[in-house]
């Protein structure tokens, strides 16, 4: 029998055996894939971050040395580090060093605050938190200190920048092995991680009050990356731009920065997808492929259309777009305006990745969200009773497969709801066309998808109840011209009370909620509409806010 990490839900034995037998699971620790791609390319640039250029040879050296140092400072295999770093070479090297040592990174986002960081550190029982000193005017060191104060397991703060005496300096930890070689010698000797065990935790964009952790194994993620790389046409000629937050599944491994490195290509880290910087970087580095959410793709398209003196972006061959529904009209503008092939991606950190193929007819590329990257992915489209629907009829999508885990980490209750007899129910309403391509029509899960960042309505609502003026609250999606959706908060007040949007935002900020989850509009109403089964009628509220926002003519 295969070992199973505590708190995870394994694939059934027979299924795992079949994935092995068919060569989908290779039983390689992920760093072995990097070692293989680095072979014969020692002097080729693997990683670019501003002026920093790291060759494959240097990358392997740093990763090996850092893995040994992580163990030297007292971490052990299966320990967890909450990683909250901006897109940077440090992000890539630390992640790979964790993989090498069998230490498990928890992929937090730079936008997360105490509410999220504390929750994931607690569930993961993290021993360390890795942060930059600050990003813009936010003090991440202070945030890490608060997490360490409030979460008993956290005993180490790793700082990218100038570390203080009681902190671990990431610049020091991630330095090359050259000057002192004891760690390097030991690196070869540190044990290989078990490929069936947890590689990392991704964060779910799920619906519950707290973020859920998704344990991905070496075996499943290696396969995920391989299939995505194949479908996206990665090769050693690839220059991949990381413009979305690197801790997201999409830019990390679909095929993302890991796919590009494993293909022997080059990865360029950029801290923001702002069009001026992004397009200049595409020209400077000869970027061939990148991933964007629809809101980012729209900004790039608008910018190119509006700007006279543009950088030359003709190196860009493929623009992947996913994370939320890419409107067909915008999709149709990608090739004419940006001069590259659009690849629509409908994916999820829980596993299943769908992509249009690069040689699909333009109609498929601009109006569908593609099909599973692997023939081993199983998909069903079902009605509310769980009955399979014929092609052409929208319903709930269920999926299982070699890179879709069977449950969240340490979350039996959430698993009851989201996993049905081994099938993951993502809450998306999807139509499968007769040609196999999927079209996403909407969702029946209670989230707000704000420019690709998922916000759990329940998470926001539960914090809103800290305001004593509020008797009842409902967070709903409202239309937003640039982000697709924004967050509108409906409230019913207690007798004689009043409240402003600013007060709500201040209270939620004080509670440590990530800024991207703050409501952007407040509607105070006398009665919150309810459904017949006694739940808040969110559909009615979404229609209501849509009506209120219509320009009065
Ligand atoms: C509509 N909804 C989409 C799309 C995701 C690649 C791409 C995206 C993600 C991601 C990812 C959508 N059209 N094209 O992990 O590797 C919504 C669905 C889905 C949820 C998953 C990747 N692409 N979505 O977005 O875990 O609602 O992953 O269930 O953040 O995003 O969110 P997340």
């Amino acid at each position: 029998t295969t070992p199973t990490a505590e708190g995870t839900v394994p694939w059934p034995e027979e299924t795992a055996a079949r994935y092995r037998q068919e060569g989908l699971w290779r039983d390689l620790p992920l760093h072995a894939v990097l070692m293989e791609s680095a072979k014969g390319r020692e002097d080729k640039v693997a990683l670019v971050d501003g002026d920093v250029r790291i060759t494959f040879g240097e990358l392997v050296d740093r990763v090996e040395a850092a893995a040994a140092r992580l163990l030297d400072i007292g971490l052990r295999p299966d320990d967890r580090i909450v990683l909250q770093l901006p897109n940077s070479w440090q992000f890539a090297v630390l992640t790979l060093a964790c993989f090498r040592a069998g230490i498990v990174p928890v992929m937090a986002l730079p936008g997360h605050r105490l509410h999220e960081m504390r929750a994931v550190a607690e569930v993961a029982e993290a021993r360390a938190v890795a942060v930059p000193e600050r990003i813009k005017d936010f003090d991440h060191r202070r945030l890490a200190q608060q997490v360490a104060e409030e979460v008993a397991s956290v005993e180490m703060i790793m700082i990218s920048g100038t570390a203080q005496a009681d902190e671990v300096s990431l610049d020091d930890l991630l330095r090359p092995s050259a000057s002192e070689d004891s760690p390097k010698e030991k690196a070869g000797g540190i044990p290989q991680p078990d490929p069936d065990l947890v590689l990392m935790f991704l964060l779910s964009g799920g619906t519950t009050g707290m973020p859920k952790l998704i344990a991905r194994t070496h075996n499943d993620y290696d396969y995920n990356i391989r299939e995505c790389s194949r479908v996206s046409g990665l090769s050693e000629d690839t220059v991949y731009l990381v413009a979305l937050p690197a801790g997201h599944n999409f830019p990390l491994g679909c095929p993302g920065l890991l796919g590009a490195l494993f293909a022997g290509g080059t990865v360029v880290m950029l801290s923001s997808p702002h069009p001026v910087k992004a397009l200049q970087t595409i020209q400077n580095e000869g970027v061939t492929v990148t991933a964007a959410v629809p809101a980012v793709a729209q900004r790039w398209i608008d910018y190119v259309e509006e700007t006279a003196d543009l950088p030359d972006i003709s190196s860009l061959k493929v623009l992947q777009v996913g994370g939320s529904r890419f409107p067909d009209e915008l999709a149709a503008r990608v090739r004419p305006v940006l001069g590259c092939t659009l690849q629509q991606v409908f994916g999820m950190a829980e596993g299943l990745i769908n992509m249009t193929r690069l040689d699909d007819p333009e109609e498929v590329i601009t109006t569908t969200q593609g099909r599973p990257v692997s023939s081993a992915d199983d998909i069903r489209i079902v009605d509310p009773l769980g009955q399979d629907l014929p092609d052409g009829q929208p319903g709930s999508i269920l999926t299982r497969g070699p890179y879709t885990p069977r449950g969240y980490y340490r979350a039996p209750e959430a698993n009851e709801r989201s996993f049905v007899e081994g099938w993951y129910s993502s809450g998306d309403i999807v139509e499968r066309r007769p040609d196999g391509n999927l079209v996403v029509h909407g969702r029946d899960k209670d989230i707000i998808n704000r420019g690709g960042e998922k916000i759990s309505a329940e998470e926001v609502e539960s914090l809103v109840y800290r305001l004593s003026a509020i008797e009842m609250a409902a967070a709903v999606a409202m239309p937003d011209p640039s982000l697709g959706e924004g967050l509108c908060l409906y409230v019913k007040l207690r007798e004689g009370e009043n409240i402003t949007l600013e007060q709500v935002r201040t209270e939620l900020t004080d509670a440590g909620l990530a800024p991207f989850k703050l409501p952007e509009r407040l509607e105070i109403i006398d009665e919150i509409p309810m459904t017949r089964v006694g739940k808040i009628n969110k559909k009615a509220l979404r229609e209501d806010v849509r009506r209120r926002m219509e320009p009065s003519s």
Side-chain angles (χ1 to χ4, degrees):
T1 63
T2 46
T4 300
E6 169 281 328
T8 65
V9 185
W11 283 261
E13 289 284 334
E14 326 76 79
T15 312
R18 181 159 44 90
Y19 292 155
R20 284 209 163 73
Q21 198 199 340
E22 292 172 357
L24 314 185
W25 288 4
R26 302 190 292 181
D27 284 322
L28 287 176
L30 217 56
H31 82 271
V33 187
L34 174 69
M35 300 294 277
E36 196 52 40
S37 74
K39 231 178 250 165
R41 298 198 176 87
E42 284 75 8
D43 296 328
K44 181 181 177 181
V45 174
L47 199 54
V48 178
D49 173 5
D51 296 335
V52 177
R53 307 182 94 77
I54 297 175
T55 65
F56 274 96
E58 291 162 346
L59 180 62
V60 166
D61 173 65
R62 283 188 194 245
V63 166
E64 290 283 322
R69 291 186 194 117
L70 284 168
L71 301 179
D72 272 349
I73 61 174
L75 292 170
R76 297 172 301 249
D78 201 41
D79 279 348
R80 288 86 198 255
I81 303 180
V82 179
L83 218 130
Q84 189 191 38
L85 295 174
N87 292 354
S88 55
W89 69 266
Q90 289 92 340
F91 175 97
V93 177
L94 180 58
T95 297
L96 290 162
C98 286
F99 292 173
R100 170 64 187 93
I103 291 166
V104 182
V106 183
M107 294 298 178
L109 301 173
H112 285 147
R113 296 294 179 258
L114 185 58
H115 180 71
E116 294 87 13
M117 293 286 282
R118 180 176 47 210
V120 299
E122 250 160 27
V123 178
E125 289 184 82
R127 289 190 63 202
V129 180
V131 294
E133 290 183 85
R134 48 180 49 253
I135 300 178
K136 296 201 184 113
D137 57 1
F138 187 79
D139 187 345
H140 285 266
R141 166 179 278 128
R142 179 77 204 107
L143 172 59
Q145 288 167 346
Q146 285 172 311
V147 174
E149 277 160 26
E150 297 191 24
V151 182
S153 60
V154 176
E155 42 188 288
M156 254 180 234
I157 295 176
M158 300 178 166
I159 287 277
S160 171
T162 313
Q164 295 169 355
D166 55 347
E167 297 167 344
V168 175
S169 159
L170 278 180
D171 291 358
D172 191 40
L173 187 88
L174 305 177
R175 74 191 184 281
S177 67
S179 49
E180 28 57 65
D181 7 50
S182 86
K184 188 181 183 184
E185 279 168 16
K186 277 165 65 190
I190 68 176
Q192 304 279 339
D194 182 333
D196 252 343
L197 294 185
V198 183
L199 168 75
M200 65 174 169
F201 288 109
L202 295 175
L203 269 51
S204 149
T207 54
T208 58
M210 280 296 165
K212 292 186 298 286
L213 301 184
I214 305 159
R216 304 294 299 258
T217 66
H218 290 255
N219 269 328
D220 96 62
Y221 215 60
D222 169 52
Y223 183 62
N224 181 109
I225 293 167
R226 250 165 42 237
E227 288 294 50
C228 289
S229 293
R230 183 178 58 75
V231 174
S232 298
L234 294 206
S235 74
E236 63 174 353
D237 299 327
T238 293
V239 180
Y240 181 91
L241 177 69
V242 184
L244 299 177
H248 272 308
N249 188 39
F250 190 12
L252 183 62
C254 303
L257 83 96
L258 294 173
L261 290 177
F262 294 175
T266 298
V267 170
V268 182
M269 304 295 274
L270 195 61
S271 60
S272 123
H274 192 282
V276 175
K277 260 187 156 182
L279 299 193
Q280 193 60 54
T281 305
I282 291 172
Q283 169 179 308
N284 293 352
E285 303 296 340
V287 169
T288 62
V289 50
T290 189
V293 292
V296 166
Q298 179 170 8
R299 281 175 78 193
W300 290 6
I301 290 170
D302 290 347
Y303 179 77
V304 167
E305 285 191 326
E306 289 160 7
T307 311
D309 204 8
L310 282 170
D312 174 6
I313 58 165
S314 58
S315 60
L316 188 67
K317 298 290 176 276
V318 177
L319 175 65
Q320 295 186 296
V321 177
S324 61
R325 182 67 156 85
F326 200 25
D328 296 356
E329 317 80 68
L330 261 176
R333 283 163 71 198
V334 169
R335 194 190 295 278
V337 177
L338 301 179
C340 61
T341 300
L342 167 65
Q343 178 166 58
Q344 292 213 43
V345 185
F346 163 42
M348 48 203 76
E350 284 83 354
L352 177 70
I353 305 293
N354 304 280
M355 293 182 176
T356 55
R357 304 308 198 252
L358 302 182
D359 59 358
D360 274 344
E362 203 63 12
E363 183 269 332
V364 170
I365 288 177
T366 58
T367 65
T368 83
Q369 283 64 57
R371 48 199 184 276
V373 292
S374 164
S375 56
D377 285 316
D378 290 331
I379 279 185
R380 290 170 57 199
I381 310 290
V382 299
D383 70 12
L385 297 174
Q387 304 291 319
D388 287 275
L389 288 166
D391 288 349
Q393 280 195 35
S396 298
I397 185 169
L398 305 180
T399 186
R400 63 180 185 194
Y403 59 95
T404 301
R406 298 299 179 107
Y408 292 111
Y409 181 65
R410 292 182 174 170
E413 278 175 33
N415 290 344
E416 291 267 317
R417 271 173 281 128
S418 297
F419 291 83
V420 188
E421 290 166 359
W423 296 80
Y424 171 59
S425 171
S426 77
D428 296 298
I429 303 297
V430 175
E431 168 201 348
R432 180 167 44 198
R433 309 199 319 182
D435 65 3
N437 286 299
L438 306 178
V439 178
V440 181
H441 285 273
R443 58 173 184 260
D444 62 2
K445 56 182 162 187
D446 199 6
I447 64 154
I448 294 94
N449 189 336
R450 187 169 179 273
E453 296 293 0
K454 316 306 184 300
I455 307 167
S456 153
E458 186 187 315
E459 183 178 9
V460 176
E461 289 159 4
S462 67
L463 290 180
V464 165
Y465 284 113
R466 293 177 176 209
L467 288 151
S468 57
I470 289 174
E471 184 175 314
M472 207 170 186
V476 297
M478 64 177 174
D480 182 290
S482 52
L483 295 170
E485 294 178 12
L487 195 157
C488 177
L489 186 71
Y490 277 85
V491 297
K492 177 187 178 188
L493 296 174
R494 290 186 200 284
E495 253 329 276
E497 298 280 0
N498 212 342
I499 200 148
T500 65
L501 177 62
E502 259 337 287
Q503 285 171 318
V504 174
R505 290 171 61 96
T506 303
E507 180 70 27
L508 295 180
T509 302
D510 292 347
L513 191 68
F516 71 83
K517 299 179 183 174
L518 296 176
E520 297 157 289
R521 183 182 175 108
L522 178 70
E523 292 294 345
I524 299 172
I525 53 176
D526 294 338
E527 279 308 325
I528 303 269
M530 306 298 280
T531 63
R532 263 168 300 162
V533 292
K535 290 208 291 191
I536 292 178
N537 189 342
K538 296 236 165 152
K539 188 161 173 272
L541 290 175
R542 282 193 296 271
E543 281 161 12
D544 183 70
V545 69
R546 198 176 279 277
R547 239 176 290 121
R548 287 173 194 249
M549 291 173 77
E550 271 166 17
S552 46
S553 50

